[in-house]
Amino acid sequence: MQKSSNDPQSLRTRVPSVDKLLRLESVAPIMETYGRHLTTEAVRTLIKEVRAALQDEGESALECFSEGALAPVLETRLFKQTAPSLKRVFNLTGTVLHTNLGRAPLPQEAIDAMVNVAGGASNLEYDLEDGKRGDRDSHLEGLLQEITGAEAATVVNNNAAAVLLVLNTLANRKEVPVSRGELIEIGGAFRVPDIMKRAGAKLVEVGTTNRTHYDDYADAVSSKTGALMKVHTSNYMVQGFTKEVSGRELSRLSREKDLPLIEDLGSGTLTDLTAYGLPHEPTAQETLANGIDVVTFSGDKLLGGPQAGLIVGRKDLIAAIKKNPIKRATRLDKVTIAALSAVLELYRDPDRLAERVPAIRLLAKQEAEIRQIAKRIEEPLRAVLGTAFGVTIVPCLSQIGSGSLPVERLKSASISIEPLGKSKGKALNMLASAFRSLPMPVIGRIQDNTLMLDVRCLDDVDGFLGQLNGLDGRQT
Ligand SMILES: *Cc1c(COP(=O)(O)O)cnc(C)c1O
């Protein structure tokens, strides 16, 4: 008798109906949180799974339907299912402006500005004085003129778009001489020759990889030339027997031949980074002062703002650029404009930049301060990881990232976590994976059989410590 009540056939009759489960009191709050549709789907799926499991698991498969068990099962599943794919993580990789981790963290002022315009109507393209149609660039152009000294400015979705737009406007079906030493590739398939082609311009390579002279450019100029271009080799360095033609020298040729001179600055900054103990990186101001007609650079690299491509320079050229349909196709949305204008606003007060722009603050952070952070998390980590891992503080070098200042390294401190038992590789991968599975995933760097957590960018120490319990039990 006992046996027959436990055979799959009769067990199946004990599987409750969808309706019955949805009417359970414990399911009501779940319905409230996730809605009828998703909750019903989750219950259906669970019933299906239980039916399939009856054969192998017998009566125990039905346990999840008990009043106490059902709600937690549904809650876990629905929480996971509805969690946003894009989430905050702790960037402990040691690369500050990590492209894969979203580059620059935004200043609070920028976040507030985004929130402020996000939820309602704004004067994005509306002139409040005249009551007429306005220009979305107007919210940024004045600031960019003031900060960079440019005659005019416009902004698009990112620097790659800026380069594409500028080249297409000024050199469509024309030739553009570029030094062979500056034919860069940066991550994510941005290559100067490819962008040039897509922009409709014909790249004319001049000079050699290590040496390019003024006459190389001069000889390449003809009636077919549309513009001259320099590219800041932001992610590599040519060292040794080298010669490059400066923007200032090249501007002489551009005046003589009446050709616009473009420079892609890449990371581009608006402030002298040496003030923060960082190496010098050409500013947009300096570049314009050297006689470059149009300068492009990123918003989310050293500038410390949102993803954007900034274009500053000569008024007539910017006007032509703004008329190009590619500008329309790559324009910024209101939320980004709000963020970028808030960030640019901060550049009007250079004395407080390091306090207020997180990208600069993180890059300027001193080793001693970083060690203090490491010390705060060392013991708690040791406690939670137990005897299976050795936890120590080690000096290390952070990178700036995003191809900015490629050779430079910043003195920093890491927590080094080393597996002590057998099969170290496996333990290490499991640990790294456990860190990545935390509610706010922790991304470190595996190096020489240790997991390195460079704490330069660890601002929220309490948040980090508060979720460490989640590592428990994963190691065993
Ligand atoms: C980063 C970079 C780009 C691309 O800029 P995005 O803002 O990532 O589109 C283009 N040129 C140079 C030299 C760069 O360093």
Side-chain angles (χ1 to χ4, degrees):
M1 232 31 239
Q2 189 64 20
K3 188 154 188 1
S4 79
S5 74
N6 264 338
D7 72 51
Q9 199 70 41
S10 61
L11 284 176
R12 214 162 282 148
T13 62
R14 287 166 58 195
V15 173
S17 71
V18 175
D19 276 344
K20 183 171 172 224
L21 291 176
L22 287 177
R23 277 197 304 270
L24 289 177
E25 209 175 309
S26 61
V27 175
I30 291 177
M31 190 92 88
E32 180 66 30
T33 307
Y34 298 102
R36 165 164 293 274
H37 179 78
L38 282 177
T39 311
T40 310
E41 281 306 306
V43 167
R44 279 215 179 95
T45 307
L46 188 62
I47 288 175
K48 216 185 267 171
E49 286 172 14
V50 168
R51 284 221 173 94
L54 285 176
Q55 184 81 44
D56 289 341
E57 296 174 24
E59 195 168 14
S60 68
L62 293 169
E63 276 165 19
C64 65
F65 293 130
S66 71
E67 178 83 45
L70 182 64
V73 169
L74 291 177
E75 169 68 30
T76 309
R77 289 181 171 207
L78 285 166
F79 182 81
K80 224 170 163 179
Q81 191 188 335
T82 56
S85 161
L86 184 62
K87 48 182 142 183
R88 283 282 293 268
V89 303
F90 285 104
N91 171 14
L92 306 191
T93 59
T95 300
V96 178
L97 300 170
H98 199 304
T99 296
N100 302 148
L101 302 183
R103 292 191 184 161
L106 292 181
Q108 190 57 48
E109 287 83 348
I111 296 164
D112 294 344
M114 290 165 85
V115 170
N116 186 38
V117 298
S122 58
N123 62 333
L124 178 63
E125 286 187 352
Y126 186 81
D127 188 325
L128 290 172
E129 249 164 62
D130 301 354
K132 291 198 187 118
R133 194 200 156 125
D135 176 358
R136 67 178 63 208
D137 283 348
S138 70
H139 308 289
L140 299 165
E141 187 169 22
L143 280 163
L144 281 168
Q145 286 168 319
E146 180 190 317
I147 298 165
T148 68
E151 284 176 16
T154 185
V155 184
V156 290
N157 185 47
N158 54 29
N159 187 34
V163 175
L164 178 79
L165 171 62
V166 169
L167 283 170
N168 179 264
T169 309
L170 305 180
N172 189 20
R173 296 158 168 249
K174 295 271 182 65
E175 293 181 353
V176 181
V178 181
S179 162
R180 288 194 169 91
E182 298 177 5
L183 295 177
I184 62 153
E185 169 179 317
I186 63 154
F190 178 94
R191 292 173 140 193
V192 169
D194 296 342
I195 289 279
M196 189 80 82
K197 200 179 284 169
R198 294 291 172 153
K202 185 167 185 293
L203 169 68
V204 176
E205 298 181 17
V206 303
T208 61
T209 305
N210 58 330
R211 288 174 71 81
T212 301
H213 304 271
Y214 184 89
D215 284 347
D216 293 329
Y217 287 98
D219 292 346
V221 171
S222 73
S223 59
K224 289 183 259 170
T225 310
L228 300 173
M229 184 182 194
K230 270 191 77 65
V231 184
H232 181 54
T233 57
S234 51
N235 59 357
Y236 68 96
M237 243 180 166
V238 184
Q239 282 177 322
F241 186 53
T242 62
K243 167 93 181 70
E244 141 180 43
V245 182
S246 72
R248 189 175 282 280
E249 290 171 89
L250 212 49
S251 78
R252 189 153 56 84
L253 183 62
S254 96
R255 301 282 166 273
E256 223 166 77
K257 305 287 182 184
D258 195 20
L259 288 168
L261 172 56
I262 308 163
E263 180 154 357
D264 172 16
L265 263 192
S267 41
T269 169
L270 296 176
T271 190
D272 179 9
L273 293 175
T274 59
Y276 310 102
L278 295 165
H280 182 75
E281 174 79 7
T283 64
Q285 296 86 309
E286 277 165 33
T287 311
L288 288 168
N290 282 336
I292 312 292
D293 298 307
V294 177
V295 178
T296 74
F297 54 103
S298 291
D300 55 355
K301 293 185 183 172
L302 291 171
L303 188 70
Q307 180 186 302
L310 292 81
I311 307 172
V312 295
R314 241 168 69 187
K315 196 171 182 134
D316 57 326
L317 301 177
I318 298 289
I321 287 164
K322 289 181 69 152
K323 284 204 199 99
N324 189 330
I326 294 177
K327 161 68 165 82
R328 169 63 182 79
T330 56
R331 74 183 182 189
L332 286 187
D333 96 301
K334 61 176 180 288
V335 176
T336 309
I337 290 174
L340 186 55
S341 83
V343 173
L344 291 174
E345 194 65 47
L346 299 179
Y347 277 85
R348 294 173 117 174
D349 181 8
D351 298 340
R352 284 192 284 172
L353 272 179
E355 283 163 50
R356 295 157 96 187
V357 177
I360 296 179
R361 178 172 53 75
L362 293 172
L363 290 170
K365 207 181 257 186
Q366 294 298 303
E367 191 188 0
E369 188 187 342
I370 302 170
R371 277 192 86 81
Q372 288 308 316
I373 301 169
K375 281 194 182 134
R376 277 187 66 194
I377 68 169
E378 181 188 18
E379 251 337 296
L381 268 174
R382 201 171 278 146
V384 77
L385 292 175
T387 52
F389 294 91
V391 176
T392 46
I393 298 177
V394 296
C396 69
L397 297 169
S398 310
Q399 296 188 39
I400 292 163
S402 281
S404 311
L405 304 161
V407 198
E408 225 49 53
R409 293 287 186 276
L410 311 169
K411 282 190 184 166
S412 186
S414 275
I415 297 280
S416 155
I417 306 176
E418 189 187 1
L420 299 175
K422 282 176 275 169
S423 55
K424 292 188 192 334
K426 191 165 167 238
L428 202 58
N429 285 331
M430 279 175 66
L431 181 68
S433 157
F435 270 112
R436 291 197 306 272
S437 311
L438 290 171
M440 182 149 148
V442 174
I443 318 291
R445 177 166 47 106
I446 289 184
Q447 180 185 312
D448 304 332
N449 271 319
T450 62
L451 177 64
M452 299 279 276
L453 305 178
D454 181 334
V455 296
R456 170 180 294 274
C457 298
L458 180 56
D459 279 338
D460 180 12
V461 174
D462 292 333
F464 178 88
L465 294 176
Q467 62 168 9
L468 282 187
N469 290 338
L471 286 175
D472 260 357
R474 286 175 203 267
Q475 270 72 254
T476 46

